[in-house]
Amino acid sequence: MNLPNKLTIARVIMIPFFVLFLLSGLAGPASKWIALAIFIIASLTDLLDGHIARKHNLVTNFGKFMDPLADKLLVCAAMICLVEMGKLPAWIVIVIISREFIISGFRLIASDNGRVIAASYWGKFKTTFQMLMICLMIADIPALSIVTSAVMWIALILTVVSLVDYLMKNRDVLAEQR
């Protein structure tokens, strides 16, 4: 159990605390700020664990599996909470989560064929904008409402673009299944 894997596990452990503070109001008006801090820290562990794993050659099969899963759990939990709070339309979350299932299935098929499909720049931009969107929606600063809406639409567009990019660049994976 190396440091990058411990950071990934820490990210997963932070999710219930994030949800608790975001939805319960446990700490009164400070709850959303505590939830936002937890979300930001969890998001930063994503950057940190990957950087450390690559820099120090600590890439493991556990990390390859759990890191993207931890990211999806964090982002999906946050977006579902935002739907519950009336801050994010459910249909946008459905599109985003559907993309994640499609890509995960696609990667599973590729894996069965001995191929690894690495994250693309489009996918990384998508994740960055989704996390920024979540932060802005949690903070809920009225003066930034136009920025928040713009970031939401950019995140949605990048979600679709990254899906099309993955499918087009790796369409031969499906052809191998015939």
Side-chain angles (χ1 to χ4, degrees), residues 125-136:
F125 291 142
K126 176 237 5 148
T127 300
T128 300
F129 272 88
Q130 286 176 358
M131 290 180 170
L132 179 58
M133 172 192 76
I134 290 164
C135 290
L136 288 168

Side-chain angles (χ1 to χ4, degrees), residues 144-156:
L144 295 178
S145 63
I146 292 172
V147 173
T148 302
S149 291
V151 169
M152 177 190 73
W153 287 108
I154 292 168
L156 179 64

Side-chain angles (χ1 to χ4, degrees), residues 83-129:
V83 169
E84 171 76 16
M85 298 166 70
K87 294 177 186 271
L88 184 60
W91 72 269
I92 290 177
V93 176
I94 292 167
V95 169
I96 291 171
I97 291 175
S98 295
R99 181 255 183 220
E100 298 305 331
F101 275 107
I102 292 167
I103 294 299
S104 293
F106 203 69
R107 282 187 166 140
L108 186 61
I109 292 169
S111 170
D112 283 348
N113 293 325
R115 288 186 47 187
V116 174
I117 299 177
S120 73
Y121 286 108
W122 287 113
K124 291 178 183 190
F125 291 142
K126 176 237 5 148
T127 300
T128 300
F129 272 88

Side-chain angles (χ1 to χ4, degrees), residues 9 52 75 83 93 117 121 137 139 152 161 173:
I9 290 170
I52 293 169
V75 170
V83 169
V93 176
I117 299 177
Y121 286 108
M137 288 183 171
M152 177 190 73
V161 168
V173 169

Side-chain angles (χ1 to χ4, degrees), residues 106 109-110 113 115 167 170-178:
F106 203 69
I109 292 169
N113 293 325
R115 288 186 47 187
L167 296 178
N170 300 288
R171 61 184 169 268
D172 58 311
V173 169
L174 294 177
E176 293 171 10
Q177 291 302 302
R178 294 181 187 161

